[in-house]
Amino acid sequence: MGPDVPLLNDYKQEFFLKRFPQTVLGGPRFKLGYCAPPYIYVNQIILFLTPWVLGGVGTLLYQLDIMKDYYTAALSGGLMLVTALILQMTNLYARQKTVTVERMQIQNTLRDEDEYEFSSCVGSETVKFIIPGKKYIVNTVFHSFLAGVMCGLGTWYLLPNRITLLYSNIGGTIVIFVFGWVTICIGEYSLIINTATETATFQALDTYEITALMRPFYIFVFIAVDLAHRFTVNIPVLEQTNQILHIIFLFLPFLWALGILPPLDALFLWGMEQVLEFGLGGSPMSSNTRLLVMFLISAGTAIASYFIPSTVGVVLFMTGFGFILSLNLSEIGLAFKHTMISHLASNKSKSSGLRIHFVWREFFFYLTVLTLALIEASLLHHFAGFSAFSKASPQAIDVRTVTVFMETQRRLMKIGVVRRILLTLVSPFAMIAFLSLDSSLQSLHSVSICIGFTRTFRMVWQNTENALLEMVIVSIVQMLLFNTDVWWNRSLDTGIRLLLAGVIRDRLLQLISKLQFAVAVLVTSWTEKKQRRKSTATLITLNIVFFPIVLAFIAVCALLSSPMLPLFTLPIFLIGFPRPIRSWPGPVGATACICSDTMYYQQVVPSLAAALQSALASGSLGLSLPGSHYLCRFQDRLIWILVLERGFTYCCVNIKGLELQETSCHTAEAHRVDEVFEMAFEHQEHAETFSLNHHFGNILTPCTALPVRLYSDARNVLSGIIDSHENLKQLKDDFLKVLVWILVQYCYKKSKMCEKLDKTTKNKEGSFPLTQPKAFDSAVEKPRPIKDEDSFSVDTIADWTDDSDLFDLDPSKTRERKETKPLEAAPRTLLSVPGSVEMESAVGALQETAPEDKLYKAVVLGLPAVDKGKKQEVVRLPLVEFSCSYSELLSIPEEWRTAPIPTSKLNEMRQRFPEDWYHFVLSQLDFFHLKEKPSNLLEDITKDKALKELYVHGVLSCCFGLFGLDSTVPAPSHVFRAYTGGIPWCVGLDWLTGKPELFQLALKAFRYTFKLMVDKASLGPVENFKELINYLEEYESDWYIGLVSDIEWQQAVLQEKPYLFSLGHDPNMGVYTGRVLTLQELLVQVGKLNNEAVRGQWANLSWELLYATNDDEERYSIQAHPVLLRNLTVQAADPPLGYPVYSSASLHVPLL
């Protein structure tokens, strides 16, 4: 897309032009986009001016000295209350009148959603259009009551005599009276008639109709100041404030329209956050609930300190609670609770013991630090009360922090350890000494002392770096002010000085960041060719001409701690409304656009959090304050980190993962990110003594590289491997070997499981030992394989009952029903295993049976029909008689060797069976799970021809199912389809797919074979059987070989399987590709983002999508911007505005 793509498409432009006038006027819809009767507009004008008329009645009675001012206010308010209730009742009546008709109507989907059909001046459609009504009856009453109160107080607020007393100017009185009533009419209309959509939108949905209260709230704030001025003694400051607010009152409609005043939910969250951080010394919190609880506790602490009579008690109280509240108490309590529960559940296991030791170590550390802090504060404060120098000027504490990145990481880590000790232990105790010796605490404490010192004693632990900086600044200023009679020394105590220094520090840093962001937007709008629009030169000229106004806007944003909003990310700067530092209203990590890429971020988050722990503690990421944003980059992964909360030895972060499906915009910005990191971290390759920063002005500043355990992604083209005739020819032979190994391993592991099941039943009913005489060998009851319940055999016919569910797809249910029968029930049919015969016995007596007929009947069942009289050439399975009784442990199920292979073809294929490999695989078994076994067990099993015949039939049946009877070399397309499970149809495929468990084993063997082919082509041929065994054992233990779309692939990633392999096909290039994921510890590059650039772009995103509804996927404000990283920033926003594929909950990162 070019730079001159429309900011809003034609439909959205028309929509915006209809919505914005409605927002300015508070709800009246005068621009409808279609022809409406005149009475629609007349009715809205009458309703808009109704509060003015009702207030004018009271004003006239007051001016004529008929009524007192407060009676006048009561009269106007009462009239407005009655009017509001009448209007709401009218709406309810109109809705009830048309509800029956609406149920009978068929909705016309082609009808414009904004178009109404009006029948009369007071018709139902007219009433519902002009007065939409409230969703809740409670709001109907409450809003009507507020409308009456606002009209009454507004009448009192705008009485001409009162305004004349304030300004002594008739012209000014008229202007304030007229435009003041316009403001009140706008507020009344939005409250009781029709609530306009606000440009300052924080929540996507207004569930409880809070938006209607926004404008009345600000009107009440202005009136409250006037009431305070009326009923208090003459205070010059209050009078001046009232005069200024009367003038600002006239401009409230413009402030509402421009979205400068925040919605009520954002206002209260922002207010609590600001008071908690700058007034009470706390930190912004990771959730709204935590913010509210911490605000109440912190405010209660400050209030309680005022009522403590002893100065020593005040110091101890502030020191103790300052330390306690700076900890993450909820996390400590939760960890302690879970540790005790796990300790009791695990009965003092080793792992729980280590965890308990860790928790108690933290607890004793905090207890020791708190005790030492209390002792130091009390002793120094007590000593200062009797010392001659207690009233001396505060002394500066010189503690230098390391901010320069050292040449080697090793030296940097050493400095980081020193920094951690200074900030965790040395600096807090030094600052407590500084505060305890202050002379302000020796006298009777006042409100200012309680607020200032409560905040400062908390800041010592909550934000040590900034507290140290503030004390240094205050000490320097104190030393430079030789005149002790200035207001700084005369009117302010040390606590308030530190509070002011903290506010100034924060606002100044915000101002600098906002200026950097504004300059970057302004300059890149011209220097970046893809951002240069036709209007760019005009906008730059206007910014230069109106530079003082632009600078004033930026200063106001910094003063309010609100984001600076670049409209459509163009150099058109507006003041965004104040909002919490998290920028979004919902819970952290509650929503994300889950997809197949999410698992890669889920896997990396624990390791990344551990790496962040050391980086944050050592200072590698700079000063990490709440609201700091970081961007991590590794290969195709982009990770967004937001610091939510910071305290003593802990930090709470939110980690988001951005999409891996790279679009053109995503790729352009990711490439610039790579360039920035490459210039910072790989500059040693460019032997230059001095080089300019070519990315100056970019919002990303590289910080460090963190070792993180994650998957590296390698993709290779398999041309020359998968299409090699020699490789494909060898593939079929290798498949037989791999399948033999997999079947042997499958039966061997199953025998282990059966042995464990045998041991659990021996104590209940006993069992025949494996060393029974030969006459009893065929009658020994063996455990039935767990996964054979759904296979067709003689036993399944014998076990069929009328209660069996024909459509039961879960074989475990049948197994559960059988296992719940009493073991002592007799007689019963024992479960059959290949190599044994059926038996029925209650007391051990044997009963011979001859199941040959049933077996042959079962085998032939389901085979293709043959012509009558034609010889049926089908393999008939004789009874298997093993020469070694232990061979039964490795026997494969009978139904796995019943493939309809002609005898002649079977004899031909038998020559391909790898007999030497089969003997070698058997020789590698150990049978450790058998307590009593002969010394020549492996030799006897290897020589058992009956067992070998089972494997010959089973392996060749699978080969027949995958490749058919054709002995030609498979084509690459056939190999690819077989690998993905979409095997081309052949004669034996239906038979193989009818055995799901065998099919999965065959598919697994084929995938292992393909991976073996790739490894042999890359690493060289396999020298001997032992090396081949090593390959297969490694595949089994350390690899997942399958498809990216498999559920098992996702599980393997989350379980951190060391290696993963997948085969793919690129239809565009016509090549086959191999993808290998390798789990290893690699360096992830981390950079810090300009906080204000992120907040500003998110503020524009919120306005553009929630108010202008500009959700065009190709809109200008989402296009790639390599300097502002606009596309990545939009992705990282919380849904529904952004679309991160992963978003974690608030993660507690300990820094101890």
Side-chain angles (χ1 to χ4, degrees), residues 1048-1076:
E1048 293 81 4
W1049 179 282
Q1050 300 181 16
Q1051 295 173 350
V1053 170
L1054 297 179
Q1055 294 168 3
E1056 296 194 337
K1057 203 79 168 176
Y1059 306 98
L1060 291 90
F1061 175 83
S1062 174
L1063 175 64
H1065 180 253
D1066 188 345
N1068 297 324
M1069 300 179 62
V1071 296
Y1072 297 97
T1073 59
R1075 182 180 183 185
V1076 178

Side-chain angles (χ1 to χ4, degrees), residues 370-400:
L370 176 60
T371 303
L372 293 177
L374 293 174
I375 294 173
E376 179 194 22
S378 59
L379 290 179
L380 288 178
H381 179 74
H382 180 74
F383 177 73
F386 299 96
S387 300
F389 58 88
S390 62
K391 298 184 181 297
S393 299
Q395 302 296 318
I397 303 173
D398 186 14
V399 179
R400 299 181 179 180

Side-chain angles (χ1 to χ4, degrees), residues 636-942:
D636 58 349
R637 269 153 280 184
L638 283 163
I639 302 174
W640 194 285
I641 302 174
L642 169 61
V643 179
L644 301 169
E645 183 180 335
R646 182 72 186 267
F648 184 64
T649 67
Y650 85 92
C651 183
C652 291
V653 299
N654 168 235
I655 298 178
K656 295 177 181 177
L658 307 187
E659 63 178 355
L660 301 183
Q661 178 102 23
E662 296 189 350
T663 60
S664 57
C665 297
H666 181 103
T667 303
E669 294 187 357
H671 180 66
R672 179 61 61 89
V673 170
D674 292 335
E675 289 180 352
V676 172
F677 282 130
E678 181 180 357
M679 183 175 180
F681 296 117
E682 301 177 12
H683 62 279
Q684 292 88 351
E685 300 178 4
H686 310 285
E688 298 180 7
T689 57
F690 177 78
S691 60
L692 294 175
N693 182 7
H694 302 294
H695 304 290
F696 180 78
N698 197 293
I699 69 170
L700 178 65
T701 303
C703 293
T704 187
L706 302 178
V708 179
R709 185 173 174 82
L710 45 69
Y711 283 101
S712 61
D713 194 349
R715 310 187 188 209
N716 302 309
V717 176
L718 298 181
S719 299
I721 298 178
I722 194 174
D723 52 2
S724 170
H725 181 77
E726 293 297 327
N727 292 341
L728 295 175
K729 183 179 180 181
Q730 185 66 29
L731 179 70
K732 296 182 79 171
D733 295 334
D734 288 342
F735 171 71
L736 297 178
K737 294 180 181 179
V738 175
L739 184 57
V740 167
W741 182 83
I742 284 181
L743 289 178
V744 170
Q745 291 296 318
Y746 168 80
C747 295
Y748 179 66
K749 292 177 181 178
K750 190 168 62 173
S751 70
K752 283 185 177 181
M753 188 183 307
C754 293
E755 182 70 19
K756 292 179 180 179
L757 293 176
D758 251 356
K759 291 179 181 179
T760 60
T761 58
K762 277 182 180 179
N763 296 332
K764 295 183 179 180
E765 59 175 337
S767 63
F768 293 104
L770 289 174
T771 56
Q772 288 284 341
K774 209 168 189 178
F776 291 87
D777 284 350
S778 62
V780 176
E781 180 182 358
K782 298 294 180 183
R784 183 170 181 172
I786 293 177
K787 297 185 179 179
D788 288 347
E789 302 294 341
D790 57 342
S791 301
F792 182 76
S793 65
V794 178
D795 302 300
T796 58
I797 298 176
D799 292 340
W800 189 269
T801 65
D802 293 337
D803 296 332
S804 301
D805 188 358
L806 178 63
F807 302 101
D808 190 357
L809 300 180
D810 187 2
S812 62
K813 297 179 181 178
T814 307
R815 184 165 60 252
E816 289 172 2
R817 288 197 297 267
K818 293 180 181 179
E819 291 174 354
T820 55
K821 295 181 179 180
L823 294 177
E824 62 274 9
R828 65 186 182 90
T829 301
L830 299 177
L831 301 179
S832 151
V833 172
S836 66
V837 297
E838 295 182 358
M839 58 172 259
E840 290 186 8
S841 175
V843 292
L846 301 178
Q847 181 179 352
E848 294 183 357
T849 59
E852 288 89 348
D853 295 337
K854 293 170 66 178
L855 180 61
Y856 287 140
K857 184 177 180 181
V859 170
V860 176
L861 183 65
L863 294 182
V866 295
D867 294 338
K868 186 175 181 180
K870 185 177 180 180
K871 184 178 180 180
Q872 185 176 347
E873 192 178 14
V874 177
V875 178
R876 291 199 169 194
L877 302 179
L879 288 178
V880 179
E881 295 183 1
F882 295 119
S883 61
C884 176
S885 60
Y886 288 91
S887 296
E888 298 175 9
L889 299 175
L890 299 180
S891 174
I892 63 176
E894 293 176 358
E895 63 271 14
W896 287 10
R897 48 192 177 92
T898 59
I901 310 175
T903 305
S904 58
K905 196 65 180 178
L906 178 63
N907 295 330
E908 178 184 343
M909 296 175 63
R910 186 187 298 272
Q911 306 300 322
R912 296 168 51 193
F913 183 77
E915 186 172 347
D916 293 341
W917 167 253
Y918 165 75
H919 291 156
F920 181 79
V921 171
L922 292 182
S923 67
Q924 301 300 307
L925 303 179
D926 48 40
F927 290 100
F928 287 151
H929 59 283
L930 299 180
K931 292 184 178 180
E932 299 178 2
K933 59 182 178 180
S935 58
N936 58 346
L937 173 62
L938 290 178
E939 183 179 353
D940 293 343
I941 292 179
T942 304

Side-chain angles (χ1 to χ4, degrees), residues 103-118:
R103 289 176 182 173
M104 299 297 295
Q105 288 178 346
I106 299 175
Q107 184 177 2
N108 183 7
T109 57
L110 300 178
R111 178 182 173 184
D112 190 344
E113 60 181 3
D114 288 333
E115 187 174 348
Y116 288 79
E117 295 180 359
F118 305 105

Side-chain angles (χ1 to χ4, degrees), residues 8-36:
L8 291 171
N9 58 37
D10 295 338
Y11 173 75
K12 296 299 181 182
Q13 287 180 17
E14 182 182 357
F15 176 80
F16 177 77
L17 292 177
K18 290 191 296 183
R19 170 170 279 191
F20 188 69
Q22 182 183 355
T23 302
V24 173
L25 296 176
R29 287 180 277 187
F30 294 132
K31 185 176 177 58
L32 303 179
Y34 57 91
C35 184

Side-chain angles (χ1 to χ4, degrees), residues 245-317:
L245 291 182
H246 267 78
I247 297 174
I248 297 177
F249 189 78
L250 310 182
F251 296 94
L252 277 180
F254 297 99
L255 298 179
W256 290 326
L258 294 176
I260 297 175
L261 298 178
L264 297 186
D265 47 358
L267 175 67
F268 286 111
L269 292 174
W270 169 82
M272 284 192 295
E273 198 174 78
Q274 293 294 307
V275 173
L276 178 62
E277 183 177 2
F278 299 105
L280 301 172
S283 164
M285 308 304 287
S286 58
S287 68
N288 297 337
T289 304
R290 287 172 60 87
L291 176 63
L292 178 60
V293 172
M294 184 57 69
F295 175 79
L296 295 176
I297 295 175
S298 302
T301 302
I303 294 172
S305 64
Y306 179 78
F307 296 98
I308 298 176
S310 171
T311 57
V312 176
V314 170
V315 172
L316 291 176
F317 183 81

